[in-house]
Amino acid sequence: MRNLRNIRRDQLPIPGDLVLKASGWDIENASIICAFGPTTDDPLIQLKRWYYDREKNEDSFGHIASWDAPCPLPDLECDNILGLRYFSDSSTICVVLAGGDIIVVREAPSDGEEKIEIVGSVDVGISAAAWSPDEELLTLVTRADTLLYMTKEFYNISSVTLAEDDLKASKHVSVGWGKKETQFKGKGAKALRDPTMPEKVDEGLTSGHDDMSSTISWRGDGAYVAVNSNQASPRRVIRVYSREGVLDGVSEPVDGLEGALSWRPEGNLLAGIQRFDDHVEVVFFERNGLRHGQFSLRTTVEEMTDERATSILLEWNVDSSILAVCFRDRVQLWTMGNYHYYLKQEVSFAIPPSKGRIDFQWNPEQALMCTAMSEGKTHIFFLSLICSSHIDSIHRLEYILSVDGGSTIPPDDYGIISVIDGKEVKLTPLRLANVPPPMALHGVSVKSNIVNAAIYGGGSKTKLAVLERDGLSIYQWNLKSNPILAPVLLASAETAPCQGYVQQVVFLDEKQALVLATNISGSTVSLFRLAATNLDHFNSLSVPFTLMPSSESGPESFSNNAWNDICVFPKLTREVKIIDLWNKRSKKIVTDQGHDRSLTIAFGLTPNGSLYANSRRLAKDCTSFLVTPAHLIFTTTQYLLKFVHMDQVEELEVPPDTPEIDERCRSIERGARLVTVMPSISALVLQMPRGNLETIYPRALVLAVIRQNIDERKYKKAFLSCRNHRVDMNILHDHDPELFIKNVDFFVAQVGKVEHIDLFLSQLREEDVSKTMYKNTITQGKPEPGAQKTTTEMGAPGHSGKLKINNICDAFLETLQSRASTHIQNIITAHVCKSPPDLEAGLLEVAKLQRHSSEEAEKAVEHICFLVDINRLYDNALGLYDLELALLVAQQSQKDPREYLPFLQKLQELPSHRREFTIDDYLGRYTKALMHLHAMNDLEEFKLYMAKHKLYEDALHICRRQEDRIQGLMSLYAEYLSEQAKYQEAGVAYEYIRNYASASEAYRLAHLWREALSCAGLIPLEEVQLQSFASTIANSLQELKDYHSAAIVHQDYLHDLESAARLFCKGYFYADAIRILSLHKRPDLVDTVVDAGLVEGMGTMTELLAECRAQINAQVPRLRELRIKKVEEPLAFYDGDVNDGIDIPDNVSLAATDASTTGGSLFTRYTDRTGTVGTNATRRTSKNRRREERKRARGKKGSVYEEEYLVNSIGRLVERVNAVGDDVGRLVVGLMRRGMRERAKAVEGAMVEVVALCRDCVGEVFQSESKVGQEVEEHKDQDVDRPAGGDGVLWDSMEVSQARKEAPEIKAFEKLALFDR
């Protein structure tokens, strides 16, 4: 679907009377080596370099060398150059002459080397020469029918004779693939002969125009070489040899085969020329010599009778995309798609027949760069395709491959594509008729080969401009007619006034067209204006640029001051498309001066794949791109299709290569290219490498149309687009919630069909798809200039969260109430689709129908059963206590009538309350069943049912006004709470009903000593029993280490002052101990009890603080050492105890397999996030998991769990130090009060030291800056499953140890002011 378009044509005169005979590429210096001579008058050969002179700013020739080359063969008038090759690595030029000499010219010879040297000579002469693609072998065909292989140093390594016996090497068997004779014609066809046998067997007779020349062509990989030569029989044969000179195959006999030969670099076909009496064909051969297709060169009868169609040469370009067919006076460029060959361009040369023929060479590295040479003069073609020349100058041309199509802007986006094929342009509006190439809906034929075509507008007034070498024609095409007719010619004109070689045509508006032409002085643009049936030339201007297609009018006046710059690209671009953000319409380079240039973007694609938006590079791997008012669409070399929301240049956001999560990026077939886009129908057309077309509907385009329809309140179109393209229908609401809720009635009226409304309601979800699923399909940047904000953008209150579905359903219910007669099904759906489903309301609607029309009720039940689980629906029908409705629902289910009919009949026979109780009990609605029992006033059954289903709180609520029943129910509830070990609640319940004995026991078990003793006093108990009860409580409090409470019980209830004081001292409450002893006049106990308690407390606390200090001094350095080892030697750190301490011999390798074979990090290795964990580190069984958990809990030294264990241990130590801070403070004050100053100072000093150690180490211990910790953060968002078994334990350990931890707070310890600072 791509055409060749000429975008540059320069001319360079050849100096003096030089005659150019050969040329070769200098890839490294981007220049061409030209060989002038020899001729019949002068045997001198001159080598010159054609290069660009930057100082003079022009192309120039630089002299390399010259020498005389008299012809040694008497049958040649003069010698001839058969091959010229430049070697960049050695700066040498190899020239092969027909006389037999092989000459090497050194540009910079070393000492002892000659500048010009004859390195070899073939006495009999040479008829063909060719270098292998890797430049390591030179193959020669001598005039004695011998094939020679020579190395780069010109040593002969093989010599093969081209003998007639070679024809016996291949035994060709053709089965007639693709031929008419082998096609199936039905059972009635008579097999009169073998279909694999052709009607005519070629004998290999030569053509009358055969020049008896030989040709050599290498395959692209250099493994095989083909030789096309003429035998004495006479018969022209193509032989295929291996790189070692072994004959591999011989072509089958072909009558009229000529000397042209070119092996397609991809290696599948060899191209040759076959001449018939009335036409000429390019024929293809396989490597084994069998024919494999052909195509006609479309030569006329006049061309067959003169010499213009003789001596045809063939040459494939380096990427096998273009075949150049070189006649004597012109060069044709052919491309292939869907097995059809298109003639894309023809460049003619004004060369008389007596001046010889055109020689042609492609650049060996750049696919679309070539040189063309006529005998005497040369034509150089750069960068894209071909160039041409008159005989007195060298031409430089540049082409691009582009799609010549119509507008991509609605409503003119008909997807019109024009494909040039020689004298015909094939037209297809893909929006109306998706005709696969090489076919087309219509074709327009002209007199000569077409140069360029342009399309303007759409609909009934579509214009088509066809540019030929000598003329311009304007056609009109009505795309709205049915059927679509062929385009009609409006007018035509000659292009002679353009004064040069015509290159391109574009429409300025509906009545005006511009033609770009070039000559030796520069480029010109000519204006042609359509008036009725005339096409008149008005004016021509010199311009420094090329034209771009447009769908808008240009400047009002056609003059030099009407052309304005938009941007300057950093690199040379070959394809440009322009968009104006102000009105989202396409703009060409010709723009009105009144427009703001900052709102106009020019997108350009360079030859190396860089895509620019003005001066900003958006991508560096682009292969094709299109522009619409809403999107920039492009493909990449990674086989991805990307959409960029149109915005100002700085705001353009290119999506990442994540097609699995981003709707703006999707994968495409390898080698696919964009053809056209039709935003009106959300269609995008791509062409595959084979040539076939594929039409896709990307989410970005589909959602753009849906959003536009929603904004315009075209809900039916938006709904149908969602349904056809499987777009989540929540977008209809989520795009603009307020607008949708206000227009629900409008939505129902437009959509109309009950089934469509049901489909929308049934797909409602709480998720806001505009912010989740489709958040990337709309630009998140600033609003467009001049555009109004939507209600959502202005912060209008939307319906989000769990209210969304219910709000929509309620809005539909409100609207549908007035349409109940026709939309009862939608009303039921709206009830059922709520969250949670309002099944009762839906069933009530069915019940209403049942009273009026049983037939409609059955349809409604059938519908609601489709939406909801039938068993759940049956239960809800029973819950309405409507047995007829339940029966109707049951009949729609798969239930056995022998089961539900007796059950329903039994219910029908029961009294009202008993029936409702039975139904609720059956449905598990025990609270409602309990209420029905209460209504039946059956207290005993009520209590049993309450106890059975543990409905104590519900029973208390039901009987809240019946105090006589409350007492009994509360007693049962208290017993239940006691059984459930909820002693505090049980105690409160017992105390509520004044059962103080049970309450005191429940409080005791709950360790609530105050409540227990108070209830014991209210029983009341005797003194002995009360003291025994208090003693029991005091002992339990001592076991709980609640010494303060135990001391109070001993003091108040047991009257044991000494025990109370000891307990106060044991809990470090020395002030309370001294207080009660002084209160009760027992100073003697102060010396014996308090002082002893102080000494004991000091010893215990000093020992504790010493242990904390020793633990910190031991664990913190070890932790520091482990972390240094983890950074410096991570492998040793994580493999620390993988062998469970077993002593393994040194000569046995225990390294995990993936440690040396995978490239993952240590984190991924030991967490199984990628790859597989080493076999000797796998822990997958439950037994190993338990063993691993024990190892983790122990934190054995040297194991991978040691770091986690140390961090947790220090954390627990800090908590312990914080907990004993108050105890130490009270201990220090108590020691000072009793005159033990030195002891108090020692305890305080130990505490201060421990607190300082904790404060110093806590920042270092609780840090998470390791490499593995960073990898944990990087992998948090990845969807990776936690491994099982022992690996899961290690996973958890690493997650915990490397997670960010907050350092514990160190409580400040206030020192006593009495001590010296």
Side-chain angles (χ1 to χ4, degrees):
M1 306 298 286
R2 295 177 180 271
N3 299 323
L4 291 178
R5 178 155 53 89
N6 179 236
I7 62 173
R8 181 180 179 184
R9 184 165 189 159
D10 298 333
Q11 300 183 32
L12 176 66
I14 295 178
D17 296 328
L18 297 179
V19 179
L20 186 64
K21 285 298 188 74
S23 63
W25 292 94
D26 180 0
I27 304 301
E28 183 176 353
N29 299 313
S31 61
I32 297 175
I33 308 299
C34 300
F36 297 91
T39 64
T40 56
D41 300 329
D42 187 2
L44 181 67
I45 297 178
Q46 298 185 52
L47 294 183
K48 295 180 179 293
R49 182 187 299 275
W50 182 23
Y51 68 99
Y52 178 75
D53 192 337
R54 297 186 180 276
E55 294 182 358
K56 298 180 180 180
N57 193 26
E58 62 182 13
D59 291 327
S60 302
F61 284 108
H63 182 75
I64 299 176
S66 62
W67 71 94
D68 287 332
C71 182
L73 301 178
D75 57 336
L76 294 178
E77 294 182 0
C78 66
D79 216 337
N80 188 28
I81 299 176
L82 298 179
L84 187 151
R85 178 63 67 101
Y86 182 84
F87 298 95
S88 301
D89 55 348
S90 58
S91 298
T92 59
I93 304 168
C94 178
V95 180
V96 181
L97 300 178
D101 291 338
I102 303 174
I103 302 171
V104 171
V105 180
R106 301 178 178 89
E107 286 194 281
S110 304
D111 295 338
E113 290 183 337
E114 297 181 1
K115 186 176 182 66
I116 304 173
E117 180 183 0
I118 300 177
V119 295
S121 181
V122 179
D123 296 336
V124 296
I126 302 173
S127 59
W131 284 90
S132 63
D134 58 1
E135 297 182 341
E136 293 296 331
L137 290 178
L138 172 63
T139 52
L140 305 173
V141 175
T142 69
R143 296 166 68 90
D145 292 335
T146 303
L147 176 64
L148 302 180
Y149 284 77
M150 302 182 72
T151 65
K152 193 174 184 179
E153 292 76 22
F154 304 101
Y155 293 107
N156 189 9
I157 60 175
S158 181
S159 178
V160 181
T161 301
L162 305 181
E164 293 187 12
D165 292 340
D166 296 341
L167 305 183
K168 304 176 183 179
S170 297
K171 296 181 180 179
H172 303 114
V173 178
S174 175
V175 295
W177 292 118
K179 292 188 176 181
K180 182 179 180 181
E181 294 82 359
T182 61
Q183 303 306 308
F184 179 70
K185 301 178 181 179
K187 296 180 180 180
K190 296 181 179 179
L192 301 179
R193 61 181 182 84
D194 186 355
T196 63
M197 295 299 296
E199 296 180 1
K200 178 180 177 297
V201 179
D202 287 354
E203 300 177 5
L205 300 177
T206 58
S207 168
H209 295 273
D210 195 346
D211 56 4
M212 308 303 288
S213 63
S214 298
T215 310
I216 303 175
S217 182
W218 282 84
R219 199 169 75 172
D221 58 358
Y224 293 92
V225 62
V227 178
N228 186 350
S229 62
N230 207 320
Q231 293 298 119
S233 11
R235 173 184 169 185
R236 182 166 286 279
V237 179
I238 299 176
R239 295 175 174 85
V240 178
Y241 293 91
S242 68
R243 191 179 180 89
E244 292 75 23
V246 179
L247 182 64
D248 184 73
V250 177
S251 64
E252 64 176 279
V254 177
D255 290 342
L257 185 65
E258 296 188 354
L261 178 66
S262 181
W263 201 326
R264 197 178 189 205
E266 288 185 354
N268 57 338
L269 295 176
L270 294 95
I273 292 293
Q274 183 181 14
R275 184 177 298 275
F276 296 90
D277 294 337
D278 56 348
H279 69 284
V280 179
E281 290 186 351
V282 175
V283 294
F284 298 104
F285 297 87
E286 299 176 7
R287 198 189 79 191
N288 58 12
L290 288 174
R291 286 281 300 274
H292 191 97
Q294 66 282 323
F295 70 90
S296 175
L297 291 179
R298 308 172 188 173
T299 52
T300 63
V301 177
E302 292 79 8
E303 292 173 340
M304 293 295 296
T305 57
D306 58 24
E307 297 183 359
R308 288 181 292 172
T310 61
S311 300
I312 301 175
L313 299 179
L314 300 174
E315 194 71 31
W316 286 100
N317 68 337
V318 69
D319 67 352
S320 305
S321 60
I322 300 176
L323 176 63
V325 180
C326 304
F327 295 83
R328 284 185 176 273
D329 61 341
R330 64 191 184 279
V331 175
Q332 294 181 347
L333 299 177
W334 295 76
T335 63
M336 191 269 287
N338 267 13
Y339 303 99
H340 175 79
Y341 281 83
Y342 298 87
L343 174 55
K344 291 298 183 181
Q345 283 287 342
E346 180 181 87
V347 181
S348 300
F349 298 84
I351 302 174
S354 61
K355 290 295 184 179
R357 66 182 186 185
I358 296 174
D359 192 12
F360 191 90
Q361 281 191 19
W362 287 103
N363 188 294
E365 288 188 1
Q366 301 187 33
L368 300 179
M369 184 179 291
C370 56
T371 63
M373 178 189 70
S374 65
E375 184 177 336
K377 304 299 174 181
T378 188
H379 318 272
I380 309 299
F381 312 112
F382 280 99
L383 291 178
S384 279
L385 281 167
I386 185 173
C387 319
S388 67
S389 164
H390 292 299
I391 61 174
D392 58 348
S393 63
I394 302 174
H395 289 212
R396 176 167 49 204
L397 284 80
E398 185 174 344
Y399 284 77
I400 61 172
L401 277 168
S402 65
V403 177
D404 294 330
S407 174
T408 60
I409 302 173
D412 296 333
D413 53 338
Y414 284 85
I416 306 174
I417 299 298
S418 63
V419 180
I420 296 175
D421 189 8
K423 299 179 182 179
E424 182 184 18
V425 56
K426 300 181 177 182
L427 301 170
T428 301
L430 295 174
R431 177 173 163 185
L432 304 176
N434 200 340
V435 181
M439 297 181 291
L441 183 63
H442 287 293
V444 174
S445 297
V446 295
K447 296 180 180 179
S448 60
N449 290 324
I450 298 173
V451 176
N452 190 232
I455 298 171
Y456 180 85
S460 60
K461 296 183 178 181
T462 304
K463 295 295 190 300
L464 169 66
V466 179
L467 180 65
E468 307 167 56
R469 185 178 60 182
D470 301 323
L472 173 65
S473 302
I474 304 296
Y475 294 81
Q476 181 164 313
W477 197 13
N478 185 1
L479 295 178
K480 293 187 177 180
S481 63
N482 189 12
I484 301 175
L485 303 178
V488 178
L489 177 64
L490 296 180
S492 61
E494 294 184 354
T495 55
C498 297
Q499 301 175 358
Y501 302 100
V502 293
Q503 298 172 288
Q504 187 182 353
V505 59
V506 299
F507 278 100
L508 189 61
D509 56 29
E510 187 178 1
K511 298 292 185 180
Q512 300 181 98
L514 300 179
V515 175
L516 179 68
T518 184
N519 50 43
I520 196 168
S521 60
S523 297
T524 61
V525 170
S526 301
L527 175 64
F528 288 83
R529 185 169 296 169
L530 181 65
T533 59
N534 297 324
L535 187 61
D536 303 323
H537 175 263
F538 269 77
N539 195 5
S540 295
L541 295 176
S542 297
V543 293
F545 51 78
T546 147
L547 301 177
M548 303 303 299
S550 170
S551 60
E552 287 194 354
S553 61
E556 296 179 359
S557 62
F558 183 69
S559 59
N560 284 326
N561 59 7
W563 309 88
N564 300 283
D565 294 336
I566 292 178
C567 71
V568 178
F569 290 116
K571 297 291 182 67
L572 181 64
T573 59
R574 295 290 181 265
E575 188 175 357
V576 179
K577 298 183 189 297
I578 298 158
I579 192 73
D580 191 348
L581 294 182
W582 180 258
N583 53 12
K584 287 294 183 70
R585 296 297 304 272
S586 173
K587 293 292 290 181
K588 52 184 175 300
I589 291 182
V590 187
T591 55
D592 292 343
Q593 295 181 358
H595 286 171
D596 185 1
R597 291 293 179 272
S598 64
L599 299 178
T600 302
I601 305 177
F603 297 96
L605 179 63
T606 65
N608 63 357
S610 294
L611 179 62
Y612 286 90
N614 291 351
S615 59
R616 178 191 171 192
R617 188 170 74 173
L618 299 179
K620 58 183 179 180
D621 57 351
C622 177
T623 56
S624 62
F625 76 100
L626 291 171
V627 175
T628 72
H631 297 97
L632 163 67
I633 311 169
F634 66 95
T635 57
T636 71
T637 56
Q638 302 299 318
Y639 324 127
L640 296 175
L641 175 65
K642 294 189 176 184
F643 293 82
V644 179
H645 298 296
M646 200 61 69
D647 208 332
Q648 296 187 14
V649 175
E650 297 77 12
E651 303 295 332
L652 294 175
E653 181 183 356
V654 179
D657 297 346
T658 53
E660 62 278 355
I661 61 175
D662 197 334
E663 293 283 3
R664 297 173 298 171
C665 179
R666 63 177 290 172
S667 299
I668 57 176
E669 184 177 335
R670 179 177 181 177
R673 297 290 187 272
L674 294 173
V675 175
T676 188
V677 59
M678 295 161 279
S680 296
I681 59 172
S682 309
L684 182 68
V685 181
L686 299 101
Q687 187 170 29
M688 302 302 112
R690 299 177 300 278
N692 58 304
L693 300 180
E694 288 191 9
T695 303
I696 61 175
Y697 298 87
R699 280 283 186 268
L701 294 180
V702 172
L703 288 165
V705 174
I706 291 174
R707 288 188 173 100
Q708 181 181 356
N709 289 332
I710 294 174
D711 294 336
E712 297 173 358
R713 299 196 304 169
K714 298 178 181 178
Y715 289 110
K716 184 174 183 178
K717 290 185 177 180
F719 172 84
L720 293 177
S721 296
C722 290
R723 190 185 68 162
N724 294 338
H725 300 291
R726 302 183 65 84
V727 176
D728 195 312
M729 291 192 180
N730 286 270
I731 192 67
L732 298 175
H733 168 271
D734 296 341
H735 174 63
D736 194 338
E738 184 178 10
L739 180 67
F740 182 84
I741 293 298
K742 289 181 179 179
N743 292 277
V744 169
D745 186 70
F746 203 54
F747 178 90
V748 173
Q750 280 193 9
V751 175
K753 288 188 177 181
V754 174
E755 296 81 5
H756 289 174
I757 298 175
D758 280 347
L759 180 62
F760 169 74
L761 292 173
S762 62
Q763 292 191 5
L764 291 176
R765 291 184 291 121
E766 298 295 347
E767 177 186 357
D768 187 347
V769 297
S770 66
K771 298 179 180 179
T772 56
M773 184 183 301
Y774 303 129
K775 65 178 180 180
N776 294 322
T777 58
I778 188 171
T779 178
Q780 304 296 328
K782 299 178 181 179
E784 302 167 6
Q788 295 183 354
K789 294 183 178 180
T790 63
T791 54
T792 304
E793 291 173 342
M794 292 187 294
H799 303 282
S800 59
K802 64 180 181 180
L803 298 177
K804 169 188 166 182
I805 294 178
N806 292 344
N807 283 333
I808 296 175
C809 291
D810 290 339
F812 270 85
L813 288 172
E814 182 179 354
T815 300
L816 294 172
Q817 290 302 324
S818 59
R819 308 169 187 253
S821 59
T822 57
H823 288 76
I824 186 63
Q825 181 173 309
N826 296 143
I827 295 175
I828 295 173
T829 304
H831 284 300
V832 173
C833 290
K834 286 187 176 181
S835 180
D838 191 358
L839 298 181
E840 292 187 0
L843 289 170
L844 288 175
E845 295 291 340
V846 177
K848 293 178 183 178
L849 285 176
Q850 192 177 21
R851 289 191 290 269
H852 298 88
S853 173
S854 59
E855 183 177 351
E856 292 184 5
E858 290 180 3
K859 291 181 180 180
V861 167
E862 184 178 352
H863 173 68
I864 198 172
C865 290
F866 174 76
L867 297 174
V868 188
D869 177 56
I870 187 65
N871 295 319
R872 183 181 176 188
L873 195 63
Y874 174 73
D875 293 342
N876 277 271
L878 275 178
L880 295 175
Y881 312 120
D882 189 339
L883 299 183
E884 293 183 3
L885 181 61
L887 177 62
L888 187 61
V889 173
Q891 289 173 346
Q892 297 293 329
S893 68
Q894 300 296 324
K895 293 179 177 293
D896 188 353
R898 292 175 297 181
E899 296 180 0
Y900 66 79
L901 284 178
F903 175 69
L904 294 177
Q905 291 174 354
K906 181 180 179 181
L907 292 176
Q908 184 68 30
E909 298 172 356
L910 296 175
S912 175
H913 286 299
R914 177 59 66 178
R915 182 193 310 125
E916 294 172 358
F917 164 76
T918 305
I919 290 175
D920 289 331
D921 181 63
Y922 171 78
L923 296 177
R925 303 191 296 190
Y926 303 120
T927 301
K928 296 186 70 174
L930 191 67
M931 295 175 64
H932 293 305
L933 285 177
H934 180 264
M936 289 187 288
N937 202 24
D938 191 342
L939 183 59
E940 292 302 322
E941 187 176 0
F942 182 86
K943 290 181 178 180
L944 292 174
Y945 197 81
M946 175 194 69
K948 177 181 179 181
H949 298 288
K950 303 177 178 58
L951 303 174
Y952 298 99
E953 295 179 3
D954 296 326
L956 291 172
H957 177 72
I958 294 172
C959 300
R960 60 187 179 279
R961 302 186 184 279
Q962 297 173 311
E963 190 62 31
D964 55 334
R965 295 188 177 183
I966 287 290
Q967 295 294 324
L969 296 177
M970 188 65 75
S971 177
L972 296 174
Y973 191 22
E975 293 176 3
Y976 169 75
L977 291 173
S978 297
E979 294 174 357
Q980 299 297 317
K982 297 181 180 180
Y983 299 114
Q984 181 178 0
E985 292 84 350
V988 173
Y990 279 124
E991 193 171 1
Y992 178 84
I993 59 176
R994 304 297 187 268
N995 187 351
Y996 296 114
S998 300
S1000 62
E1001 182 62 21
Y1003 285 136
R1004 182 187 69 81
L1005 294 174
H1007 305 294
L1008 301 175
W1009 63 274
R1010 293 179 179 86
E1011 291 83 353
L1013 290 173
S1014 62
C1015 288
L1018 293 174
I1019 295 177
L1021 291 177
E1022 297 181 359
E1023 185 65 23
V1024 176
Q1025 293 176 333
L1026 183 60
Q1027 288 188 357
S1028 175
F1029 185 70
S1031 177
T1032 303
I1033 290 178
N1035 292 335
S1036 64
L1037 291 174
Q1038 291 184 48
E1039 292 176 0
L1040 297 174
K1041 296 186 178 180
D1042 188 0
Y1043 298 114
H1044 191 275
S1045 299
I1048 294 176
V1049 173
H1050 274 280
Q1051 176 186 352
D1052 295 344
Y1053 290 92
L1054 300 179
H1055 309 294
D1056 187 351
L1057 195 61
E1058 182 176 357
S1059 298
R1062 292 184 187 278
L1063 290 172
F1064 276 128
C1065 292
K1066 199 169 184 180
Y1068 297 96
F1069 298 100
Y1070 301 104
D1072 290 333
I1074 296 174
R1075 179 186 64 79
I1076 64 171
L1077 292 177
S1078 61
L1079 177 65
H1080 293 281
K1081 311 299 183 183
R1082 294 294 305 271
D1084 55 318
L1085 293 179
V1086 174
D1087 296 333
T1088 58
V1089 176
V1090 176
D1091 291 351
L1094 286 168
V1095 173
E1096 181 182 358
M1098 176 202 170
T1100 302
M1101 192 61 67
T1102 303
E1103 182 179 358
L1104 172 63
L1105 295 176
E1107 291 178 358
C1108 293
R1109 182 172 57 252
Q1111 181 178 345
I1112 293 175
N1113 292 333
Q1115 291 184 339
V1116 172
R1118 175 59 181 170
L1119 183 61
R1120 189 181 301 118
E1121 177 185 352
L1122 286 174
R1123 288 178 172 170
I1124 293 174
K1125 182 179 179 182
K1126 181 169 64 173
V1127 174
E1128 296 178 352
E1129 301 179 17
L1131 188 60
F1133 174 82
Y1134 287 103
D1135 276 342
D1137 192 35
V1138 75
N1139 300 314
D1140 293 332
I1142 302 175
D1143 188 13
I1144 303 298
D1146 295 339
N1147 59 350
V1148 178
S1149 174
L1150 292 179
T1153 303
D1154 62 347
S1156 59
T1157 59
T1158 63
S1161 63
L1162 291 169
F1163 176 81
T1164 59
R1165 174 183 173 194
Y1166 279 95
T1167 56
D1168 200 24
R1169 289 195 187 266
T1170 58
T1172 57
V1173 182
T1175 55
N1176 57 352
T1178 54
R1179 310 166 178 89
R1180 298 192 180 278
T1181 63
S1182 59
K1183 178 180 179 181
N1184 287 340
R1185 178 180 56 80
R1186 291 191 297 270
R1187 183 183 66 179
E1188 201 72 17
E1189 289 174 349
R1190 291 194 296 270
K1191 289 175 62 177
R1192 180 185 179 187
R1194 290 197 304 268
K1196 181 181 176 181
K1197 185 175 182 180
S1199 69
V1200 73
Y1201 304 112
E1202 183 181 4
E1203 181 187 8
E1204 179 192 8
Y1205 176 81
L1206 292 176
V1207 172
N1208 294 336
S1209 178
I1210 296 173
R1212 291 190 296 269
L1213 183 144
V1214 171
E1215 294 175 358
R1216 191 175 182 185
V1217 171
N1218 288 336
V1220 301
D1222 294 338
D1223 294 345
V1224 173
R1226 293 194 296 269
L1227 175 61
V1228 171
V1229 172
L1231 290 171
M1232 286 296 294
R1233 290 179 64 184
R1234 297 301 301 161
M1236 304 177 189
R1237 183 176 183 279
E1238 294 302 324
R1239 293 185 177 184
K1241 188 175 182 180
V1243 173
E1244 186 183 65
M1247 184 64 184
V1248 171
E1249 181 182 2
V1250 171
V1251 171
L1253 289 174
C1254 292
R1255 186 173 288 109
D1256 293 340
C1257 75
V1258 71
E1260 178 184 1
V1261 171
F1262 295 94
Q1263 57 88 22
S1264 57
E1265 300 177 356
S1266 65
K1267 177 182 177 182
V1268 179
Q1270 295 174 3
E1271 292 189 11
V1272 172
E1273 296 295 329
E1274 294 174 359
H1275 286 78
K1276 277 186 176 180
D1277 296 333
Q1278 296 185 4
D1279 187 13
V1280 182
D1281 295 333
R1282 176 186 179 276
D1287 287 334
V1289 178
L1290 184 59
W1291 173 291
D1292 295 339
S1293 173
M1294 297 189 71
E1295 290 279 3
V1296 171
S1297 63
Q1298 302 302 336
R1300 298 187 180 275
K1301 303 181 182 67
E1302 293 185 3
E1305 182 181 358
I1306 308 296
K1307 291 178 63 176
F1309 178 73
E1310 296 291 338
K1311 295 196 297 182
L1312 199 62
L1314 295 175
F1315 296 128
D1316 295 335
R1317 298 295 180 186

